PDB file of all heavy atoms in Angstrom:
ATOM      1  N   ILE A   1      -2.413  -0.845  -3.789  1.00 96.00           N
ATOM      2  CA  ILE A   1      -1.862  -2.126  -3.367  1.00 96.00           C
ATOM      3  C   ILE A   1      -2.854  -3.232  -3.697  1.00 96.00           C
ATOM      4  O   ILE A   1      -4.057  -3.093  -3.482  1.00 96.00           O
ATOM      5  CB  ILE A   1      -1.517  -2.112  -1.859  1.00 96.00           C
ATOM      6  CG1 ILE A   1      -0.823  -3.417  -1.451  1.00 96.00           C
ATOM      7  CG2 ILE A   1      -2.755  -1.848  -1.011  1.00 96.00           C
ATOM      8  CD1 ILE A   1      -0.207  -3.361  -0.058  1.00 96.00           C
ATOM      9  N   THR A   2      -2.357  -4.345  -4.235  1.00 94.00           N
ATOM     10  CA  THR A   2      -3.200  -5.497  -4.529  1.00 94.00           C
ATOM     11  C   THR A   2      -3.273  -6.398  -3.313  1.00 94.00           C
ATOM     12  O   THR A   2      -2.542  -6.225  -2.337  1.00 94.00           O
ATOM     13  CB  THR A   2      -2.652  -6.296  -5.717  1.00 94.00           C
ATOM     14  OG1 THR A   2      -1.430  -6.938  -5.332  1.00 94.00           O
ATOM     15  CG2 THR A   2      -2.398  -5.399  -6.916  1.00 94.00           C
ATOM     16  N   SER A   3      -4.162  -7.398  -3.371  1.00 89.00           N
ATOM     17  CA  SER A   3      -4.279  -8.342  -2.268  1.00 89.00           C
ATOM     18  C   SER A   3      -2.994  -9.133  -2.075  1.00 89.00           C
ATOM     19  O   SER A   3      -2.730  -9.621  -0.977  1.00 89.00           O
ATOM     20  CB  SER A   3      -5.448  -9.295  -2.509  1.00 89.00           C
ATOM     21  OG  SER A   3      -5.254 -10.062  -3.679  1.00 89.00           O
ATOM     22  N   GLY A   4      -2.201  -9.263  -3.141  1.00 90.00           N
ATOM     23  CA  GLY A   4      -0.935  -9.969  -3.067  1.00 90.00           C
ATOM     24  C   GLY A   4       0.227  -9.118  -2.596  1.00 90.00           C
ATOM     25  O   GLY A   4       1.351  -9.619  -2.474  1.00 90.00           O
ATOM     26  N   GLY A   5      -0.027  -7.835  -2.357  1.00 92.00           N
ATOM     27  CA  GLY A   5       1.001  -6.962  -1.825  1.00 92.00           C
ATOM     28  C   GLY A   5       1.791  -6.169  -2.851  1.00 92.00           C
ATOM     29  O   GLY A   5       2.753  -5.485  -2.488  1.00 92.00           O
ATOM     30  N   TYR A   6       1.415  -6.235  -4.115  1.00 96.00           N
ATOM     31  CA  TYR A   6       2.084  -5.427  -5.131  1.00 96.00           C
ATOM     32  C   TYR A   6       1.647  -3.983  -5.007  1.00 96.00           C
ATOM     33  O   TYR A   6       0.459  -3.692  -4.878  1.00 96.00           O
ATOM     34  CB  TYR A   6       1.785  -5.954  -6.530  1.00 96.00           C
ATOM     35  CG  TYR A   6       2.393  -7.301  -6.783  1.00 96.00           C
ATOM     36  CD1 TYR A   6       1.645  -8.462  -6.621  1.00 96.00           C
ATOM     37  CD2 TYR A   6       3.726  -7.420  -7.188  1.00 96.00           C
ATOM     38  CE1 TYR A   6       2.208  -9.707  -6.842  1.00 96.00           C
ATOM     39  CE2 TYR A   6       4.293  -8.665  -7.413  1.00 96.00           C
ATOM     40  CZ  TYR A   6       3.526  -9.802  -7.240  1.00 96.00           C
ATOM     41  OH  TYR A   6       4.094 -11.038  -7.463  1.00 96.00           O
ATOM     42  N   THR A   7       2.597  -3.075  -5.051  1.00 98.00           N
ATOM     43  CA  THR A   7       2.315  -1.664  -4.814  1.00 98.00           C
ATOM     44  C   THR A   7       2.681  -0.793  -5.994  1.00 98.00           C
ATOM     45  O   THR A   7       3.522  -1.142  -6.822  1.00 98.00           O
ATOM     46  CB  THR A   7       3.069  -1.156  -3.578  1.00 98.00           C
ATOM     47  OG1 THR A   7       4.479  -1.345  -3.767  1.00 98.00           O
ATOM     48  CG2 THR A   7       2.625  -1.913  -2.332  1.00 98.00           C
ATOM     49  N   ASN A   8       2.031   0.358  -6.054  1.00 98.00           N
ATOM     50  CA  ASN A   8       2.304   1.362  -7.062  1.00 98.00           C
ATOM     51  C   ASN A   8       2.202   2.726  -6.406  1.00 98.00           C
ATOM     52  O   ASN A   8       1.276   2.973  -5.638  1.00 98.00           O
ATOM     53  CB  ASN A   8       1.307   1.238  -8.219  1.00 98.00           C
ATOM     54  CG  ASN A   8       1.497   2.303  -9.272  1.00 98.00           C
ATOM     55  OD1 ASN A   8       0.701   3.230  -9.381  1.00 98.00           O
ATOM     56  ND2 ASN A   8       2.552   2.172 -10.055  1.00 98.00           N
ATOM     57  N   TYR A   9       3.151   3.615  -6.704  1.00 98.00           N
ATOM     58  CA  TYR A   9       3.183   4.931  -6.089  1.00 98.00           C
ATOM     59  C   TYR A   9       3.287   6.033  -7.124  1.00 98.00           C
ATOM     60  O   TYR A   9       3.911   5.868  -8.169  1.00 98.00           O
ATOM     61  CB  TYR A   9       4.380   5.064  -5.153  1.00 98.00           C
ATOM     62  CG  TYR A   9       4.368   4.127  -3.976  1.00 98.00           C
ATOM     63  CD1 TYR A   9       4.990   2.892  -4.042  1.00 98.00           C
ATOM     64  CD2 TYR A   9       3.735   4.490  -2.785  1.00 98.00           C
ATOM     65  CE1 TYR A   9       4.983   2.030  -2.960  1.00 98.00           C
ATOM     66  CE2 TYR A   9       3.725   3.634  -1.700  1.00 98.00           C
ATOM     67  CZ  TYR A   9       4.352   2.406  -1.789  1.00 98.00           C
ATOM     68  OH  TYR A   9       4.352   1.555  -0.708  1.00 98.00           O
ATOM     69  N   ALA A  10       2.684   7.159  -6.800  1.00 98.00           N
ATOM     70  CA  ALA A  10       2.905   8.348  -7.595  1.00 98.00           C
ATOM     71  C   ALA A  10       4.364   8.767  -7.452  1.00 98.00           C
ATOM     72  O   ALA A  10       4.967   8.600  -6.388  1.00 98.00           O
ATOM     73  CB  ALA A  10       1.985   9.479  -7.136  1.00 98.00           C
ATOM     74  N   ASP A  11       4.936   9.307  -8.516  1.00 98.00           N
ATOM     75  CA  ASP A  11       6.333   9.715  -8.471  1.00 98.00           C
ATOM     76  C   ASP A  11       6.607  10.725  -7.354  1.00 98.00           C
ATOM     77  O   ASP A  11       7.685  10.724  -6.761  1.00 98.00           O
ATOM     78  CB  ASP A  11       6.750  10.315  -9.808  1.00 98.00           C
ATOM     79  CG  ASP A  11       6.861   9.275 -10.905  1.00 98.00           C
ATOM     80  OD1 ASP A  11       6.985   8.074 -10.591  1.00 98.00           O
ATOM     81  OD2 ASP A  11       6.829   9.663 -12.092  1.00 98.00           O
ATOM     82  N   SER A  12       5.629  11.557  -7.058  1.00 98.00           N
ATOM     83  CA  SER A  12       5.804  12.611  -6.078  1.00 98.00           C
ATOM     84  C   SER A  12       5.950  12.101  -4.645  1.00 98.00           C
ATOM     85  O   SER A  12       6.442  12.826  -3.781  1.00 98.00           O
ATOM     86  CB  SER A  12       4.640  13.601  -6.144  1.00 98.00           C
ATOM     87  OG  SER A  12       3.412  12.947  -5.891  1.00 98.00           O
ATOM     88  N   VAL A  13       5.522  10.862  -4.382  1.00 98.00           N
ATOM     89  CA  VAL A  13       5.587  10.321  -3.025  1.00 98.00           C
ATOM     90  C   VAL A  13       6.512   9.122  -2.910  1.00 98.00           C
ATOM     91  O   VAL A  13       6.749   8.627  -1.800  1.00 98.00           O
ATOM     92  CB  VAL A  13       4.189   9.936  -2.495  1.00 98.00           C
ATOM     93  CG1 VAL A  13       3.230  11.105  -2.636  1.00 98.00           C
ATOM     94  CG2 VAL A  13       3.652   8.702  -3.216  1.00 98.00           C
ATOM     95  N   LYS A  14       7.040   8.659  -4.015  1.00 98.00           N
ATOM     96  CA  LYS A  14       7.895   7.481  -4.027  1.00 98.00           C
ATOM     97  C   LYS A  14       9.111   7.687  -3.118  1.00 98.00           C
ATOM     98  O   LYS A  14       9.789   8.712  -3.192  1.00 98.00           O
ATOM     99  CB  LYS A  14       8.332   7.186  -5.462  1.00 98.00           C
ATOM    100  CG  LYS A  14       8.681   5.738  -5.738  1.00 98.00           C
ATOM    101  CD  LYS A  14       8.803   5.485  -7.248  1.00 98.00           C
ATOM    102  CE  LYS A  14       7.487   5.661  -7.958  1.00 98.00           C
ATOM    103  NZ  LYS A  14       7.577   5.345  -9.417  1.00 98.00           N
ATOM    104  N   GLY A  15       9.359   6.715  -2.270  1.00 98.00           N
ATOM    105  CA  GLY A  15      10.470   6.800  -1.339  1.00 98.00           C
ATOM    106  C   GLY A  15      10.126   7.458  -0.019  1.00 98.00           C
ATOM    107  O   GLY A  15      10.918   7.386   0.926  1.00 98.00           O
ATOM    108  N   ARG A  16       8.954   8.093   0.065  1.00 98.00           N
ATOM    109  CA  ARG A  16       8.521   8.761   1.291  1.00 98.00           C
ATOM    110  C   ARG A  16       7.298   8.110   1.913  1.00 98.00           C
ATOM    111  O   ARG A  16       7.175   8.066   3.132  1.00 98.00           O
ATOM    112  CB  ARG A  16       8.218  10.238   1.022  1.00 98.00           C
ATOM    113  CG  ARG A  16       9.403  11.031   0.509  1.00 98.00           C
ATOM    114  CD  ARG A  16       9.087  12.521   0.438  1.00 98.00           C
ATOM    115  NE  ARG A  16       8.002  12.800  -0.500  1.00 98.00           N
ATOM    116  CZ  ARG A  16       6.845  13.369  -0.171  1.00 98.00           C
ATOM    117  NH1 ARG A  16       6.628  13.732   1.098  1.00 98.00           N
ATOM    118  NH2 ARG A  16       5.918  13.593  -1.087  1.00 98.00           N
ATOM    119  N   PHE A  17       6.390   7.619   1.075  1.00 98.00           N
ATOM    120  CA  PHE A  17       5.154   7.003   1.544  1.00 98.00           C
ATOM    121  C   PHE A  17       5.216   5.492   1.359  1.00 98.00           C
ATOM    122  O   PHE A  17       5.828   4.991   0.407  1.00 98.00           O
ATOM    123  CB  PHE A  17       3.943   7.525   0.764  1.00 98.00           C
ATOM    124  CG  PHE A  17       3.598   8.965   1.004  1.00 98.00           C
ATOM    125  CD1 PHE A  17       4.433   9.806   1.724  1.00 98.00           C
ATOM    126  CD2 PHE A  17       2.419   9.475   0.488  1.00 98.00           C
ATOM    127  CE1 PHE A  17       4.107  11.135   1.936  1.00 98.00           C
ATOM    128  CE2 PHE A  17       2.077  10.800   0.692  1.00 98.00           C
ATOM    129  CZ  PHE A  17       2.917  11.633   1.412  1.00 98.00           C
ATOM    130  N   THR A  18       4.552   4.767   2.248  1.00 98.00           N
ATOM    131  CA  THR A  18       4.462   3.325   2.148  1.00 98.00           C
ATOM    132  C   THR A  18       3.025   2.882   2.385  1.00 98.00           C
ATOM    133  O   THR A  18       2.441   3.203   3.417  1.00 98.00           O
ATOM    134  CB  THR A  18       5.371   2.622   3.167  1.00 98.00           C
ATOM    135  OG1 THR A  18       6.730   3.034   2.971  1.00 98.00           O
ATOM    136  CG2 THR A  18       5.294   1.108   2.996  1.00 98.00           C
ATOM    137  N   ILE A  19       2.465   2.144   1.429  1.00 98.00           N
ATOM    138  CA  ILE A  19       1.118   1.615   1.574  1.00 98.00           C
ATOM    139  C   ILE A  19       1.198   0.154   2.009  1.00 98.00           C
ATOM    140  O   ILE A  19       2.089  -0.581   1.585  1.00 98.00           O
ATOM    141  CB  ILE A  19       0.316   1.762   0.261  1.00 98.00           C
ATOM    142  CG1 ILE A  19      -1.150   1.393   0.477  1.00 98.00           C
ATOM    143  CG2 ILE A  19       0.934   0.935  -0.861  1.00 98.00           C
ATOM    144  CD1 ILE A  19      -2.041   1.726  -0.725  1.00 98.00           C
ATOM    145  N   SER A  20       0.272  -0.257   2.860  1.00 96.00           N
ATOM    146  CA  SER A  20       0.219  -1.637   3.322  1.00 96.00           C
ATOM    147  C   SER A  20      -1.230  -2.020   3.575  1.00 96.00           C
ATOM    148  O   SER A  20      -2.109  -1.157   3.640  1.00 96.00           O
ATOM    149  CB  SER A  20       1.058  -1.825   4.592  1.00 96.00           C
ATOM    150  OG  SER A  20       0.576  -1.009   5.643  1.00 96.00           O
ATOM    151  N   ARG A  21      -1.486  -3.321   3.715  1.00 93.00           N
ATOM    152  CA  ARG A  21      -2.855  -3.768   3.969  1.00 93.00           C
ATOM    153  C   ARG A  21      -2.866  -5.023   4.819  1.00 93.00           C
ATOM    154  O   ARG A  21      -1.898  -5.785   4.866  1.00 93.00           O
ATOM    155  CB  ARG A  21      -3.601  -4.017   2.657  1.00 93.00           C
ATOM    156  CG  ARG A  21      -3.108  -5.211   1.844  1.00 93.00           C
ATOM    157  CD  ARG A  21      -3.813  -5.276   0.493  1.00 93.00           C
ATOM    158  NE  ARG A  21      -5.239  -5.536   0.626  1.00 93.00           N
ATOM    159  CZ  ARG A  21      -6.127  -5.377  -0.356  1.00 93.00           C
ATOM    160  NH1 ARG A  21      -5.733  -4.928  -1.540  1.00 93.00           N
ATOM    161  NH2 ARG A  21      -7.410  -5.655  -0.150  1.00 93.00           N
ATOM    162  N   ASP A  22      -3.987  -5.216   5.486  1.00 88.00           N
ATOM    163  CA  ASP A  22      -4.266  -6.419   6.237  1.00 88.00           C
ATOM    164  C   ASP A  22      -5.520  -7.008   5.611  1.00 88.00           C
ATOM    165  O   ASP A  22      -6.623  -6.504   5.824  1.00 88.00           O
ATOM    166  CB  ASP A  22      -4.481  -6.105   7.723  1.00 88.00           C
ATOM    167  CG  ASP A  22      -4.652  -7.356   8.565  1.00 88.00           C
ATOM    168  OD1 ASP A  22      -5.218  -8.345   8.080  1.00 88.00           O
ATOM    169  OD2 ASP A  22      -4.219  -7.335   9.737  1.00 88.00           O
ATOM    170  N   ASN A  23      -5.363  -8.077   4.838  1.00 79.00           N
ATOM    171  CA  ASN A  23      -6.482  -8.642   4.094  1.00 79.00           C
ATOM    172  C   ASN A  23      -7.562  -9.245   4.992  1.00 79.00           C
ATOM    173  O   ASN A  23      -8.738  -9.250   4.628  1.00 79.00           O
ATOM    174  CB  ASN A  23      -5.979  -9.706   3.113  1.00 79.00           C
ATOM    175  CG  ASN A  23      -5.187  -9.108   1.972  1.00 79.00           C
ATOM    176  OD1 ASN A  23      -5.393  -7.962   1.589  1.00 79.00           O
ATOM    177  ND2 ASN A  23      -4.268  -9.901   1.412  1.00 79.00           N
ATOM    178  N   PHE A  24      -7.174  -9.758   6.140  1.00 81.00           N
ATOM    179  CA  PHE A  24      -8.145 -10.362   7.043  1.00 81.00           C
ATOM    180  C   PHE A  24      -8.974  -9.314   7.765  1.00 81.00           C
ATOM    181  O   PHE A  24     -10.135  -9.562   8.092  1.00 81.00           O
ATOM    182  CB  PHE A  24      -7.452 -11.275   8.051  1.00 81.00           C
ATOM    183  CG  PHE A  24      -6.885 -12.517   7.437  1.00 81.00           C
ATOM    184  CD1 PHE A  24      -5.550 -12.598   7.101  1.00 81.00           C
ATOM    185  CD2 PHE A  24      -7.699 -13.601   7.176  1.00 81.00           C
ATOM    186  CE1 PHE A  24      -5.022 -13.737   6.524  1.00 81.00           C
ATOM    187  CE2 PHE A  24      -7.189 -14.752   6.600  1.00 81.00           C
ATOM    188  CZ  PHE A  24      -5.842 -14.818   6.269  1.00 81.00           C
ATOM    189  N   LYS A  25      -8.401  -8.155   8.006  1.00 82.00           N
ATOM    190  CA  LYS A  25      -9.113  -7.075   8.688  1.00 82.00           C
ATOM    191  C   LYS A  25      -9.736  -6.081   7.717  1.00 82.00           C
ATOM    192  O   LYS A  25     -10.438  -5.171   8.141  1.00 82.00           O
ATOM    193  CB  LYS A  25      -8.184  -6.344   9.648  1.00 82.00           C
ATOM    194  CG  LYS A  25      -7.688  -7.197  10.797  1.00 82.00           C
ATOM    195  CD  LYS A  25      -6.801  -6.386  11.730  1.00 82.00           C
ATOM    196  CE  LYS A  25      -6.345  -7.222  12.910  1.00 82.00           C
ATOM    197  NZ  LYS A  25      -5.472  -6.447  13.824  1.00 82.00           N
ATOM    198  N   ASN A  26      -9.461  -6.255   6.423  1.00 84.00           N
ATOM    199  CA  ASN A  26      -9.965  -5.332   5.404  1.00 84.00           C
ATOM    200  C   ASN A  26      -9.547  -3.896   5.702  1.00 84.00           C
ATOM    201  O   ASN A  26     -10.362  -2.970   5.652  1.00 84.00           O
ATOM    202  CB  ASN A  26     -11.486  -5.418   5.275  1.00 84.00           C
ATOM    203  CG  ASN A  26     -11.941  -6.687   4.590  1.00 84.00           C
ATOM    204  OD1 ASN A  26     -11.181  -7.327   3.863  1.00 84.00           O
ATOM    205  ND2 ASN A  26     -13.193  -7.058   4.805  1.00 84.00           N
ATOM    206  N   THR A  27      -8.285  -3.722   6.016  1.00 91.00           N
ATOM    207  CA  THR A  27      -7.766  -2.392   6.282  1.00 91.00           C
ATOM    208  C   THR A  27      -6.581  -2.100   5.375  1.00 91.00           C
ATOM    209  O   THR A  27      -5.858  -3.000   4.960  1.00 91.00           O
ATOM    210  CB  THR A  27      -7.327  -2.227   7.744  1.00 91.00           C
ATOM    211  OG1 THR A  27      -6.304  -3.181   8.049  1.00 91.00           O
ATOM    212  CG2 THR A  27      -8.496  -2.416   8.687  1.00 91.00           C
ATOM    213  N   VAL A  28      -6.389  -0.838   5.082  1.00 95.00           N
ATOM    214  CA  VAL A  28      -5.241  -0.387   4.317  1.00 95.00           C
ATOM    215  C   VAL A  28      -4.682   0.856   5.000  1.00 95.00           C
ATOM    216  O   VAL A  28      -5.440   1.693   5.494  1.00 95.00           O
ATOM    217  CB  VAL A  28      -5.615  -0.098   2.843  1.00 95.00           C
ATOM    218  CG1 VAL A  28      -6.665   1.003   2.745  1.00 95.00           C
ATOM    219  CG2 VAL A  28      -4.377   0.256   2.031  1.00 95.00           C
ATOM    220  N   SER A  29      -3.362   0.955   5.050  1.00 97.00           N
ATOM    221  CA  SER A  29      -2.710   2.065   5.729  1.00 97.00           C
ATOM    222  C   SER A  29      -1.758   2.778   4.794  1.00 97.00           C
ATOM    223  O   SER A  29      -1.299   2.218   3.797  1.00 97.00           O
ATOM    224  CB  SER A  29      -1.944   1.572   6.957  1.00 97.00           C
ATOM    225  OG  SER A  29      -2.805   0.969   7.897  1.00 97.00           O
ATOM    226  N   LEU A  30      -1.474   4.015   5.131  1.00 98.00           N
ATOM    227  CA  LEU A  30      -0.503   4.803   4.382  1.00 98.00           C
ATOM    228  C   LEU A  30       0.420   5.488   5.373  1.00 98.00           C
ATOM    229  O   LEU A  30       0.000   6.403   6.086  1.00 98.00           O
ATOM    230  CB  LEU A  30      -1.198   5.847   3.500  1.00 98.00           C
ATOM    231  CG  LEU A  30      -0.281   6.661   2.592  1.00 98.00           C
ATOM    232  CD1 LEU A  30       0.291   5.774   1.487  1.00 98.00           C
ATOM    233  CD2 LEU A  30      -1.027   7.846   1.983  1.00 98.00           C
TER     234      LEU A  30
END
């Protein structure tokens, strides 16, 4: 995931996993 929120997923997890981030807290979740 980029700072602007653009995401990319492996084909094997697409539709099942979601990545997100909080830029102010410097955290990323899956």
Side-chain angles (χ1 to χ4, degrees):
I1 185 168
T2 69
S3 62
Y6 293 96
T7 59
N8 177 253
Y9 297 92
D11 289 340
S12 60
V13 307
K14 206 167 295 183
R16 300 188 297 119
F17 292 9
T18 302
I19 188 171
S20 61
R21 69 186 295 166
D22 185 326
N23 290 332
F24 291 98
K25 295 182 178 180
N26 287 338
T27 60
V28 61
S29 299
L30 184 69

